[in-house]
Amino acid sequence: MRYDSITDAIGNTPLVRIDPAVHGLRHIDLYAKLELLNPFGSVKDRAAWHMARPHLESAAGPGGQVVELSSGNTAKALAVLAGMHGLTFKSVTNRMRVPEIKDLLLLLGAEIEELPGQSECLDPTAADDPLTLFHRTLSEPGSTYVHTDQYFNPRNTEAHLTGTGPEIVKDLDGRAPDWFIACVGTAGSSTGVARALREHQPGVRVVGLVAAKSDFIPGIRTIDEAHEVGLFDPGTYETIEAVGADDAIEGMLTLNRRCGILAGPTGGAAYFGAVRRLREIDAELTERQSAVFIVCDRVESYLSYVRRRRPDLFGRPRRRNSPADVPDAEIRIAPTVDVPAAQEWIATGAPLVVDLRSPFAYAALHIDPSVNIVDEIFEEILHGGLPFSRSRPVLLACPVGEKSARYAALLTRMGHPDVRSLAGGIVAWRDAGAPLVRD
Ligand SMILES: Cc1ncc(COP(=O)(O)O)c(C=O)c1O
């Protein structure tokens, strides 16, 4: 194979059959579409190239910059593509949570700007809201920015409609698979491939996978976050199912250790979600079926992510007091307090109010008095034991009350007698018109 440009090597990735001895399905051939073998390392190479390509030449020159809201693979691909075309790249993100990816982006020359995420932004219509300001700057006349806008740009979906989907059909000898399973980030890959497959066989069954609520799997969204994405259409999927981070890592280990596929966590989530769904119907099948899932990227970028959740894999003891270890049943009965009761409590009982959101969201608006301990740091602190005196009540607040409920259950488990979660989070507080202050 000989190419004039590395961009010619994007796409045409292998479709590899998973050994039935590994997945255990008796009537279904399960295939992995190996998007991790794209040149910059992920499924996003296709979308990044397809979105940026029409604009790169005209934007080249002084001040020309590609800009995208991304903390991961799209940013990685765009950083490379921008550099190749004499442009700089800026990644705008609410939180760079995977250190290896942040380091790689810096290595590739990217500028990183952190802003509050949409779900943390308290007033998206406010004229001085950071995201609003960001979008306004991009669309100013004479702007030298190329904004690829992956969450809304139809060319993201089109990259998979014209590339990934048809490749799968070709590799299955002109037939679409009966099942297609994919994780949902921007929804570009799942939507584009689903459309292409259904052009061949309208009955293809499509399963969308999201991260379980209050769990974090880098690259994919929770169902609430998916609804914020312009390209996401729930009608694309027969079902949308949640996968937990631990199950994603288990799936990843199976692909890594037993299949020779060095997938990252979302590849693992796709494998886990596929086998879980297909097992339900496998026994009843009388004819053979086929299924395809996407392996989005590689494991190497996620070593610190995996180490935090599974230190045992690195020869270290499993860490105590992990929020991920709290069972759902305990989270459901975690003590909560609604906004009026919380206001009363703050006025009379002086609980310590801990705001678990990002520093940007906290700086924008917060309850007074409160302290800001971002959830990842709070998790670290709790591994060491209870950080508060048992005699001081604690009120935990997060964007919508999900993470805080998990932490309230964990602190209760750890023996704190009076810790409560703010029901509906800071968003409910704001909607109730309760006072917030700004730094
Ligand atoms: C690692 C990883 N997996 C899955 C996805 C989901 O792909 P899509 O954005 O096409 O929904 C992404 C998207 O960024 C990703 O980075």
Side-chain angles (χ1 to χ4, degrees):
M1 260 173 278
R2 182 170 151 172
Y3 300 115
D4 286 334
S5 164
I6 188 70
T7 54
D8 295 340
I10 296 173
N12 288 315
T13 54
L15 189 69
V16 172
R17 183 165 168 267
I18 304 291
D19 185 346
V22 174
H23 57 63
L25 300 166
R26 292 181 44 226
H27 302 103
I28 302 173
D29 294 314
L30 179 62
Y31 294 92
K33 177 73 170 156
L34 298 190
E35 289 301 298
L36 79 171
L37 293 178
N38 277 301
F40 317 132
S42 86
V43 68
K44 305 304 299 197
D45 293 10
R46 298 178 187 259
W49 181 224
H50 198 64
M51 290 187 297
R53 190 178 192 170
H55 309 287
L56 290 171
E57 254 172 47
S58 58
Q65 185 168 54
V66 181
V67 181
E68 183 54 278
L69 291 168
S70 166
S71 53
N73 286 314
T74 309
K76 201 199 295 181
L78 286 173
V80 178
L81 291 168
M84 286 173 65
H85 292 83
L87 296 152
T88 57
F89 171 69
K90 176 155 80 175
S91 172
V92 180
T93 163
N94 62 336
R95 230 188 283 176
M96 274 285 169
R97 294 172 73 172
V98 181
E100 292 93 333
I101 294 183
K102 183 174 185 173
D103 283 348
L104 185 54
L105 284 176
L106 293 171
L107 192 88
L108 295 171
E111 189 187 321
I112 298 173
E113 182 173 338
E114 297 196 54
L115 289 180
Q118 201 176 344
S119 58
E120 290 188 320
C121 260
L122 289 168
D123 187 358
T125 59
D128 59 351
D129 172 85
L131 270 182
T132 312
L133 282 178
F134 165 70
H135 283 287
R136 199 182 302 148
T137 317
L138 292 179
S139 51
E140 268 165 9
S143 154
T144 49
Y145 293 115
V146 175
H147 180 208
T148 37
D149 203 10
Q150 61 167 342
Y151 291 101
F152 291 87
N153 189 339
R155 287 183 70 85
N156 176 354
T157 307
E158 205 177 86
H160 304 286
L161 175 68
T162 56
T164 327
E167 287 170 25
I168 292 172
V169 173
K170 183 170 140 268
D171 287 337
L172 292 177
D173 302 323
R175 287 174 53 94
D178 299 283
W179 294 84
F180 171 62
I181 302 101
C183 292
V184 178
T186 63
S189 52
S190 48
T191 310
V193 172
R195 273 194 212 146
L197 299 182
R198 283 176 177 152
E199 279 173 12
H200 276 261
Q201 190 183 314
V204 175
R205 303 175 73 176
V206 178
V207 178
L209 298 170
V210 291
K213 284 191 179 186
S214 79
D215 231 342
F216 170 58
I217 304 178
I220 59 175
R221 305 201 132 214
T222 63
I223 187 64
D224 295 339
E225 291 166 342
H227 281 288
E228 292 170 358
V229 175
L231 299 176
F232 175 71
D233 172 7
T236 300
Y237 312 94
E238 179 182 280
T239 51
I240 298 176
E241 300 174 15
V243 178
D246 283 349
D247 290 333
I249 292 173
E250 277 308 322
M252 183 189 91
L253 289 174
T254 304
L255 293 176
N256 295 170
R257 293 178 173 186
R258 300 201 56 203
C259 306
I261 297 174
L262 293 184
T266 64
Y271 172 74
F272 180 89
V275 174
R276 180 178 65 185
R277 180 73 182 87
L278 298 173
R279 263 193 201 135
E280 287 169 17
I281 53 125
D282 186 44
E284 293 149 27
L285 293 177
T286 47
E287 286 181 2
R288 284 209 78 70
Q289 290 200 347
S290 60
V292 171
F293 67 97
I294 291 190
V295 176
C296 294
D297 71 355
R298 303 178 65 90
V299 63
E300 288 89 337
S301 300
Y302 302 99
L303 294 180
S304 60
Y305 168 83
V306 178
R307 192 182 299 117
R308 273 184 66 198
R309 278 159 185 82
R310 292 288 307 275
D312 53 301
L313 294 171
F314 299 85
R316 295 174 201 170
R318 202 164 172 119
R319 300 181 81 181
R320 62 196 189 114
N321 308 329
S322 262
D325 291 343
V326 182
D328 286 347
E330 277 179 40
I331 298 169
R332 277 195 292 276
I333 57 162
T336 56
V337 57
D338 65 14
V339 174
Q343 281 185 279
E344 167 97 27
W345 194 32
I346 291 170
T348 58
L352 175 66
V353 184
V354 180
D355 187 326
L356 301 167
R357 296 171 304 147
S358 73
F360 308 98
Y362 180 81
L365 281 177
H366 59 258
I367 297 172
D368 190 40
S370 61
V371 292
N372 180 215
I373 311 179
V374 65
D375 58 355
E376 284 142 29
I377 297 184
F378 197 52
E379 178 175 345
E380 278 302 310
I381 296 172
L382 295 187
H383 290 311
L386 262 185
F388 318 110
S389 149
R390 285 183 168 75
S391 59
R392 178 91 189 260
V394 176
L395 172 62
L396 298 174
C398 70
V400 292
E402 283 166 9
K403 276 192 188 128
S404 56
R406 183 177 285 269
Y407 280 104
L410 175 58
L411 285 167
T412 305
R413 241 179 178 220
M414 292 167 71
H416 197 291
D418 191 8
V419 55
R420 306 178 209 177
S421 156
L422 178 64
I426 302 287
V427 167
W429 181 279
R430 174 204 62 188
D431 291 348
L436 287 162
V437 297
R438 176 184 302 252
D439 274 348

